[in-house]
Amino acid sequence: MTASEEPRNVFKLSRDWLSVQEVVDAVSSASCGAISVFIGTTREDECDGRKVIGLEYEAYELMAQSEFRKLCDDIRARWPTVTHICVHHRLGWVKVSEASVAMAISSPHRHDGQQAIQHCINQLKASVPIWKKEVYDTQEASWKENAE
Amino acid sequence: MTASEEPRNVFKLSRDWLSVQEVVDAVSSASCGAISVFIGTTREDECDGRKVIGLEYEAYELMAQSEFRKLCDDIRARWPTVTHICVHHRLGWVKVSEASVAMAISSPHRHDGQQAIQHCINQLKASVPIWKKEVYDTQEASWKENAE
Amino acid sequence: MADLRVIVLYFAKSAELTGVKEEELVAVPTPISSLELWTLLLQRHPRLRLLQDQVVLAVRQQYVAIGDQVLTLGDGDEEVVDAVSSAS
Amino acid sequence: MADLRVIVLYFAKSAELTGVKEEELVAVPTPISSLELWTLLLQRHPRLRLLQDQVVLAVRQQYVAIGDQVLTLGDGDEEVVDAVSSAS
């Protein structure tokens, strides 16, 4: 790898619309033949007869950054060929069908990256302090486990 | 699902730069919480001391379309919750670090889509008649199995 | 044994239940276990009890389980109380 | 038993070896097995032998293995010969 190819761990919390292209560009590398991407969107859903119209996200930003760094260390220990990792997560109001998280991982070959991206989204939801509140068409709302 | 939510199978062979956003938009759906994406790029590589400077792709276009439809049927039989499938593949000259294939699959929950995208890229390479020729800095070139 | 000033941050449902996002606790005894600290927070905000098993504590950006574990708090430490409701 | 006119398409390395992308074969006997058809193509283009085991045939956009399988060809059928070299 050249100097510009030092492994990158990019994490951004954003109140704006997420750009998939930006996440992909952040991990692209001439030494990588594979970029695995996952996008989580707000799904139109019903809960006890109420319709979900959107989600409200909140984070403990400093701790989210440090938990993300731990997660990256964990991913690189499991899949050493992983080159760059980028996660963008929305905060605040995200209406139905908009992306709340977009993440990309580059690797020389596709298998490692595909395994790593699944681990990344699972662990992001399990350990990074970001909370979501479902908001319903009845004006009600409820905080949810972020595990789904 | 509403009428506009009929499962879509989108396949495009293109001589232009691939847009990840376009592939993602093609599968987005209010009923889906997950979009799994894979991007295959031309990797800077060496082969017998020669440096790969790019790839040249060629397809049997009509048959590629029909093999893609079979692949979509296979994916939907294995993961019935898969909603939309979109694959864009480059033809012609693709230089190092550009995308040769971009694919996206949407599903209500992430697990099915993540399994399906891995199957999709594996089977695309195994069964869809697209060939690639590695072009080296020595002006030499050689046709490759598309399996990698 | 000493008394400390500790900053507590509340997130998500815990902020809704306490009505505050951040507060300062003075005269927190140290050493203190995570369970004793949680009990102290419950005395100030009885509605936090609604969180039951879903509460997560973090001290200096490290998660701590609620139990006998003794916390070594430094003056002015951030202590984070965050919580989610169970998925219904 | 009849003789047919068949269109053969060559792709990738097979097109390089034959020097053509497409050709018309006249008086192709039918029925014919895929192995007999491949032998007929090898007679026209001996360099196709370089493809050895890597050759893939398709008739009417369906892959066919090279062997005893009898092909039912219709007049003017597209027959595709495509091939890749083994990964070195």
Side-chain angles (χ1 to χ4, degrees):
Chain A
M1 287 193 200
T2 63
S4 64
E5 288 272 301
E6 283 293 300
R8 288 192 294 270
N9 301 333
V10 182
F11 184 69
K12 193 173 92 174
L13 293 166
S14 158
R15 298 196 162 262
D16 298 325
W17 182 86
L18 302 182
S19 159
V20 184
Q21 191 65 54
E22 197 182 322
V23 172
V24 168
D25 289 346
V27 303
S28 83
S29 157
S31 69
C32 289
I35 298 176
S36 293
V37 182
F38 178 78
I39 300 161
T41 58
T42 302
R43 196 158 59 89
E44 198 171 70
D45 207 356
E46 298 227 336
C47 179
D48 303 331
R50 303 164 298 184
K51 205 169 137 188
V52 176
I53 57 170
L55 298 177
E56 183 84 34
Y57 283 91
E58 183 180 325
Y60 179 18
E61 303 200 20
L62 267 180
M63 187 169 166
Q65 287 281 359
S66 67
E67 287 294 319
F68 172 72
R69 280 191 299 272
K70 286 185 208 169
L71 173 52
C72 290
D73 291 345
D74 176 37
I75 288 170
R76 294 177 187 287
R78 289 167 187 259
W79 297 280
T81 66
V82 158
T83 305
H84 304 308
I85 304 170
C86 176
V87 173
H88 287 188
H89 202 297
R90 281 281 289 273
L91 293 182
W93 175 245
V94 182
K95 68 174 194 283
V96 161
S97 89
E98 285 189 359
S100 51
V101 63
M103 54 177 68
I105 291 179
S106 56
S107 52
H109 301 281
R110 68 181 181 276
H111 188 74
D112 283 0
Q114 286 176 329
Q115 299 298 309
I117 199 91
Q118 294 188 34
H119 185 73
C120 186
I121 178 66
N122 290 343
Q123 289 307 110
L124 187 87
K125 286 173 180 266
S127 70
V128 177
I130 300 174
W131 299 272
K132 71 175 178 193
K133 188 166 70 172
E134 283 189 1
V135 180
Y136 308 104
D137 55 355
T138 56
Q139 319 266 327
E140 293 168 292
S142 85
W143 289 99
K144 290 287 171 180
E145 304 250 21
N146 203 8
E148 145 123 345
Chain B
M1 286 194 200
T2 63
S4 66
E5 287 273 300
E6 283 294 300
R8 288 192 295 271
N9 301 333
V10 181
F11 183 69
K12 193 172 90 173
L13 293 166
S14 158
R15 296 196 163 263
D16 298 326
W17 181 85
L18 301 181
S19 158
V20 184
Q21 191 64 54
E22 197 183 321
V23 172
V24 168
D25 290 345
V27 303
S28 84
S29 158
S31 69
C32 288
I35 298 176
S36 293
V37 182
F38 178 78
I39 300 161
T41 58
T42 301
R43 197 160 58 90
E44 198 172 69
D45 207 356
E46 298 228 337
C47 180
D48 304 330
R50 302 165 300 184
K51 205 169 135 187
V52 176
I53 58 171
L55 298 177
E56 182 85 35
Y57 283 91
E58 182 181 325
Y60 179 18
E61 304 200 19
L62 267 179
M63 187 168 166
Q65 288 281 357
S66 67
E67 287 295 318
F68 173 71
R69 281 191 298 272
K70 285 186 208 169
L71 173 53
C72 290
D73 291 346
D74 176 39
I75 289 171
R76 294 178 187 286
R78 288 166 188 260
W79 297 280
T81 66
V82 158
T83 305
H84 304 307
I85 304 171
C86 176
V87 174
H88 287 188
H89 202 298
R90 281 282 287 274
L91 293 182
W93 176 247
V94 182
K95 67 174 196 283
V96 161
S97 90
E98 285 189 359
S100 51
V101 63
M103 54 177 67
I105 291 180
S106 56
S107 52
H109 301 281
R110 69 182 179 275
H111 188 73
D112 283 359
Q114 286 177 329
Q115 299 298 310
I117 199 92
Q118 294 188 35
H119 186 72
C120 187
I121 177 66
N122 291 343
Q123 289 307 111
L124 188 86
K125 286 173 180 266
S127 70
V128 177
I130 300 174
W131 299 273
K132 71 175 178 193
K133 186 166 70 172
E134 283 188 1
V135 181
Y136 308 104
D137 56 354
T138 55
Q139 318 268 327
E140 294 168 292
S142 85
W143 289 99
K144 290 286 171 181
E145 304 249 21
N146 204 7
E148 147 121 342
Chain C
M1 189 96 179
D3 281 0
L4 285 181
R5 195 182 57 93
V6 171
I7 312 286
V8 184
L9 307 178
Y10 298 94
F11 291 97
K13 186 147 190 170
S14 68
E16 276 184 10
L17 292 172
T18 60
V20 293
K21 305 268 302 169
E22 183 173 343
E23 67 181 351
E24 200 178 304
L25 300 189
V26 289
V28 175
T30 175
I32 187 172
S33 74
S34 56
L35 179 59
E36 288 165 334
L37 182 62
W38 175 237
T39 307
L40 195 150
L41 296 175
L42 282 176
Q43 283 163 2
R44 292 179 68 88
H45 305 286
R47 296 188 68 211
L48 283 177
R49 214 172 293 274
L50 290 168
L51 296 174
Q52 293 176 331
D53 297 336
Q54 283 96 40
V55 75
V56 179
L57 296 185
V59 175
R60 254 173 272 118
Q61 298 176 35
Q62 302 285 333
Y63 292 115
V64 292
I66 293 180
D68 296 336
Q69 191 189 344
V70 171
L71 307 176
T72 320
L73 299 176
D75 200 20
D77 263 350
E78 269 188 358
E79 192 230 330
V80 179
V81 178
D82 55 59
V84 292
S85 67
S86 65
S88 56
Chain D
M1 188 91 183
D3 281 0
L4 285 180
R5 195 180 58 92
V6 171
I7 311 285
V8 184
L9 307 177
Y10 297 95
F11 291 98
K13 186 146 190 170
S14 68
E16 276 184 9
L17 293 172
T18 60
V20 292
K21 306 271 300 171
E22 183 172 344
E23 67 182 349
E24 201 178 304
L25 300 188
V26 291
V28 175
T30 174
I32 187 172
S33 76
S34 57
L35 180 58
E36 288 164 334
L37 182 62
W38 175 236
T39 307
L40 197 150
L41 296 175
L42 281 176
Q43 283 162 4
R44 292 179 67 87
H45 305 287
R47 296 187 69 210
L48 283 176
R49 214 172 292 274
L50 290 169
L51 294 174
Q52 294 176 331
D53 297 337
Q54 282 96 38
V55 74
V56 179
L57 296 184
V59 174
R60 254 173 271 116
Q61 298 177 33
Q62 301 286 332
Y63 292 116
V64 292
I66 294 179
D68 296 335
Q69 191 189 344
V70 171
L71 307 175
T72 321
L73 299 176
D75 201 20
D77 263 350
E78 268 187 359
E79 192 230 329
V80 180
V81 178
D82 55 60
V84 291
S85 67
S86 65
S88 56

